[in-house]
Amino acid sequence: MTLFESLFFNVFKHYKNAKNKNANQIATVYISVLQSSILLVLGVFFAGFSKQMHLDVISQDKAIILFVLATIFIFFKNWIQYAGQKRKVLNAKMLRKKSANYSLFMLWLLPVACIVLSVIIYQAV
């Protein structure tokens, strides 16, 4: 089981225990936002790196379009992955395993921290 699946099921279990019918949607949006923010940090880092090395690989407009397309792909992939039978199979695996319970505040702080880090990297370059 990957780290993202573990984080997904921690968020899913928290909202499912709170008797929320939209627990799957909330957990899917969370994991998609987390993956998109990690992609943003990596993109800003490599853009800054290529700028420091005086490489003109891709323009800023094309990089933004590429990021938007990758984010749409991430949301679609997670929607497909965690919406159906695979989520039920993974949920059964999670019930058998004793997994670590993370604080919900810390889980929601991860995407925010990634976005803040990307802004700091962007300002530094």
Side-chain angles (χ1 to χ4, degrees):
M1 197 172 237
T2 66
L3 174 68
F4 291 124
E5 290 171 352
S6 176
L7 293 176
F8 172 83
F9 281 108
N10 277 317
V11 173
F12 178 74
K13 281 193 294 187
H14 180 271
Y15 285 109
K16 192 68 169 177
N17 291 339
K19 306 251 191 264
N20 194 342
K21 292 181 180 180
N22 298 328
N24 192 39
Q25 285 180 324
I26 294 170
T28 304
V29 167
Y30 167 76
I31 203 69
S32 299
V33 168
L34 178 64
Q35 289 174 347
S36 296
S37 63
I38 290 172
L39 180 67
L40 178 66
V41 169
L42 288 173
V44 169
F45 173 76
F46 285 120
F49 179 75
S50 65
K51 184 177 179 182
Q52 291 289 328
M53 296 298 289
H54 302 291
L55 299 173
D56 275 339
V57 178
I58 190 170
S59 70
Q60 187 175 5
D61 294 336
K62 290 179 182 177
I64 291 171
I65 291 171
L66 189 63
F67 173 73
V68 169
L69 290 174
T71 302
I72 291 170
F73 174 76
I74 287 171
F75 272 89
F76 183 72
K77 177 190 70 82
N78 288 333
W79 174 64
I80 294 295
Q81 184 174 1
Y82 296 119
Q85 186 68 23
K86 185 173 182 179
R87 182 188 58 85
K88 292 178 184 178
V89 170
L90 289 172
N91 196 17
K93 286 182 184 179
M94 282 296 291
L95 291 177
R96 277 190 274 142
K97 284 185 178 180
K98 192 65 175 174
S99 64
N101 288 332
Y102 301 110
S103 168
L104 191 67
F105 176 73
M106 293 302 286
L107 288 176
W108 281 105
L109 195 62
L110 281 173
V112 173
C114 287
I115 292 170
V116 168
L117 184 63
S118 65
V119 169
I120 289 171
I121 293 172
Y122 182 73
Q123 292 295 325
V125 175

